[in-house]
Amino acid sequence: MTVLLDTNVLLDVLLAREPFAADSAKVYDACDRGELTGFLSASAVTDLFYIIRKATGESGQARALIADVCHGLMIAAVNRTVIEDALGSALDDFEDAVAAAAGRAVHVDAIVTRDPAGFRGALIPIHSPREIVEMCGL
């Protein structure tokens, strides 16, 4: 299964946010091991860096965590076509529309998020980390 991980799922893992970290980590680890093919939208990389640096107060730690994420996941490009797709999307949240469009461009099977309402109207199935854990037996 090919999945795009939403920013909130990765933040759960990287910042050990409870009670969400366990299921999110199982999904991320499955991507890292190659059991799932995992993507992250390119636009989420800078968001992750900013949030991690702000939460930890350390730029070096944020860079190291981003390097780990980029090792475990593929990056879905955000280009003009993706932005135009997002602008024409039915999704109200533009950040989520960009993520969904980037996921469509790389043909993911699902988006993994804890914010399904943000992806209401997406043309890709939306699942929580718990649902992916159960569906894939992680």
Side-chain angles (χ1 to χ4, degrees):
M1 175 181 258
T2 302
V3 297
L4 182 127
L5 302 183
D6 192 13
T7 306
N8 58 47
V9 172
L10 288 162
L11 287 171
D12 293 344
V13 175
L14 299 173
L15 297 177
R17 299 193 308 189
E18 294 301 337
F20 312 109
D23 286 337
S24 294
K26 287 178 184 175
V27 175
Y28 175 76
D29 290 344
C31 293
D32 195 39
R33 291 189 305 269
E35 295 172 23
L36 297 173
T37 302
F39 279 90
L40 171 66
S41 75
S43 59
V45 175
T46 55
D47 295 341
L48 284 169
F49 179 84
Y50 174 81
I51 294 166
I52 293 165
R53 185 185 64 197
K54 189 170 181 172
T56 65
E58 301 210 13
S59 181
Q61 182 179 1
R63 285 179 184 270
L65 290 172
I66 294 299
D68 286 345
V69 165
C70 289
H71 178 265
L73 300 173
M74 294 192 284
I75 306 299
V78 175
N79 55 26
R80 178 182 296 274
T81 302
V82 168
I83 297 298
E84 288 173 352
D85 188 15
L87 287 169
S89 163
L91 276 65
D92 290 332
D93 184 307
F94 186 66
E95 182 181 355
D96 291 343
V98 170
R104 275 193 305 281
V106 294
H107 309 289
V108 298
D109 299 310
I111 295 173
V112 183
T113 184
R114 283 192 305 96
D115 178 27
F119 289 93
R120 189 170 293 121
L123 301 175
I124 301 171
I126 308 302
H127 296 289
S128 70
R130 165 86 342 233
E131 291 170 334
I132 294 294
V133 167
E134 291 171 356
M135 288 170 50
C136 298
L138 306 175

